[in-house]
Amino acid sequence: MEGILFWVCGILMVFGGLMMVVQRSAVVSAVWLIFAFVCAAGIFALLSAPFLAVMQILVYAGAIMVLFLFVIMMLQGPVLEGGRKRLALPMWPAVAVPPMAIAVMIIGYVKRHGTTGMGGPAPEGFGSPEHVAELLLGKYLLAFELISIVLLVAIIGALAVGKDERKLPWK
Amino acid sequence: MTIVFDTLAKIGFFFVLIMGLVVVLIWMERKGAAFIQDRTGPNRASIGGVRLAGLVHPVADVFKLLFKEDVAPANRHAALYNLAPWLVMTVAMSTYAVIPFGDYLTVAGRRVPLVAADLSVGLLYVLAIASLATYGVVMAGWASNNKFTFLGGIRATSQMISYEISMGLALMGLVLVFSSLRLTDIVAGQGDLIWGFLPKWGVVVQPLGFILFIVAVFAETNRNPFDLPEGESEIVAGFHLEYSSMKFALFFMAEYAHMVIGASLIATFYFGGYQIPWLPRPLIEANAGLILTLKLIGVALISMMIAMLFFRRAQKEKGKFGDARDREPVLGAGLWVLVAGGALAGLVLKPWTIGPVGADMVASLLQVMAFVAKVVFFAWLFIWVRWTLPRFRYDQLMHLGWKVWLPLGLANLVVTALVMAIV
């Protein structure tokens, strides 16, 4: 059962990723990317990481892609472009490079660990919210806090860029 | 194999519950609006002269929507245009997977928990599905290729992004109190009593969180006073302007399904879910016979009273309309007499001598009924609010979401954390 679900999610995810790259309309591309994210969440769930699976949907498929879609729609507008266009030449590297990068990663992994994988079933409580919380707020506390500071700086930067310059407090 | 069957049965229960409530809610909305605006409301559709106070109207609606021509704009984006209504409905229904509607039910010696999927991250799942709910609306707005629908879609997106955050923050306070993300744990924790008399419901331990949450749920369901994505006086009908026939019906049904889900979430998180206050499950099972007997007598008495009200109306309004409507109060009285008679007939079976298996069934049934009663009450709250408050202006909506609700949510979280650390 899990094997079948893995292949279903995996094939659909790769298909979604491919469709995202080859679409002409940016809005439809974004929709295919959401589809790929949801399939990725399915694979996380199969790997006994329920917290990651839900976060994948909540943060990536939900929050981030809504913003993407929002911005794309605002820029592209409601009018749909007509006529078929062939893929522009500079697009080809974008299509070709990611599979090559993935191939390099898979070859590197197989050389190091063999084809059997890391081995062994996941221990009890693996991937649960408690487990993730212990890692994030214990072992990786410093990195976690530093990332949150980076995000805070990014938010303030976005505000500073987006705001009317005459109204900035230091002007 | 039994687990597959169990899960299918639970999905079936929720499907019937949502679809049944959608029909009832459409009727409740029309009659409630009429009641609040001091008019009669729909009472014309009839089957052979029987009008049932407008209850026939949803049936008429279904037939109308099924047989209407499906008109679609020529320059739509066909794939997304067709996907959107389906997506809205699917996402609306899938929240129900994690909502517990009872403790457990013993079937043939097996304890079946009355929740379709008891996820360890149930609360986050609810938030994740809520965040996906935007897409159907946005896609509909964009794919219709119309300025008004597009504006509706954009409004829906910004509104949902804004209120998702305060919704999550309000729920985090609840997670701190019950220290679990599992919905069954949260509901089970609400069965306790504080100081021996106050039920430990979410609304008691998190009053501010409850207000934040209920407003955020109203915003997420796009109901008045937050129905800016539709805003009929500003952008015609918003995101579903270009939809007709059954596709429009899906949007319409999804709105009511969202209401049912919003009501279930409010009941589950803040009003004890299936818990009956001061009546924990062991107590029900120990006194099942007594409770069942009292319940049957109570149902009989209340329906007799309602029947008497109908009789009085039938006598007062004799010959008022001069057509089949005059017989309606008599029909209503007859139906309630039947209910009372059924309840009294149940007493013949000697419910006070019920055995342990029956006691278990009674306890499960009472809990499911408590849950459904809470859901119906909060669904009525949605209707009540819609016909009482005017719509927000867009800037007021954004101001409330980002400058009032977000800081309040953060403050609620910090205060809750401090209290939990001290106590």
Side-chain angles (χ1 to χ4, degrees), chain B residues 79 127 278 353 394:
Chain B
L127 290 175
W278 303 292
T353 57
Y394 188 72

Side-chain angles (χ1 to χ4, degrees), chain A residues 70 74, chain B residues 134 137-138 148-162 219 222 226-236 238-239 391-394 397-398:
Chain A
F70 187 79
M74 285 296 244
Chain B
T134 329
V137 174
V138 179
F148 293 122
T149 62
F150 181 64
L151 278 173
I154 290 289
R155 281 183 178 191
T157 325
S158 49
Q159 179 176 324
M160 289 201 187
I161 294 171
S162 310
N222 290 332
F226 298 100
D227 65 343
L228 286 110
E230 288 179 43
E232 60 270 49
S233 54
E234 300 151 27
I235 49 173
V236 196
F239 62 91
R391 181 183 303 138
F392 272 110
R393 228 168 45 214
Y394 188 72
L397 174 99
M398 285 293 144

Side-chain angles (χ1 to χ4, degrees), chain A residues 17-54:
Chain A
L18 273 177
M19 291 303 284
M20 179 235 150
V21 179
V22 299
Q23 283 299 322
R24 275 167 289 126
S25 161
V27 173
V28 183
S29 275
V31 173
W32 277 111
L33 188 60
I34 297 161
F35 178 76
F37 279 153
V38 174
C39 293
I43 287 183
F44 280 137
L46 284 173
L47 290 171
S48 60
F51 184 75
L52 270 188
V54 173

Side-chain angles (χ1 to χ4, degrees), chain A residues 3-19:
Chain A
I4 299 168
L5 282 176
F6 170 78
W7 283 109
V8 169
C9 284
I11 290 169
L12 284 178
M13 186 171 90
V14 172
F15 178 71
L18 273 177
M19 291 303 284

Side-chain angles (χ1 to χ4, degrees), chain B residues 317-338:
Chain B
E317 298 181 349
K318 209 170 204 173
K320 186 182 172 194
F321 300 105
D323 59 19
R325 265 176 287 171
D326 285 333
R327 293 200 293 275
E328 261 177 20
V330 184
L331 184 76
L335 283 176
W336 284 106
V337 167
L338 268 183

Side-chain angles (χ1 to χ4, degrees), chain B residues 22 24 65-66 71 91 112 138 157 163 168 170 178 188 201 207 227 241 257 295-296 315-316 330 337 390 405 419:
Chain B
V22 163
V24 174
L65 288 165
L66 272 175
V71 185
V91 168
V112 182
V138 179
T157 325
Y163 282 87
F178 294 107
W201 281 3
D227 65 343
L241 167 63
K295 198 174 162 176
L296 284 175
Q315 281 178 344
K316 238 161 104 186
V330 184
V337 167
W405 247 226
V419 171

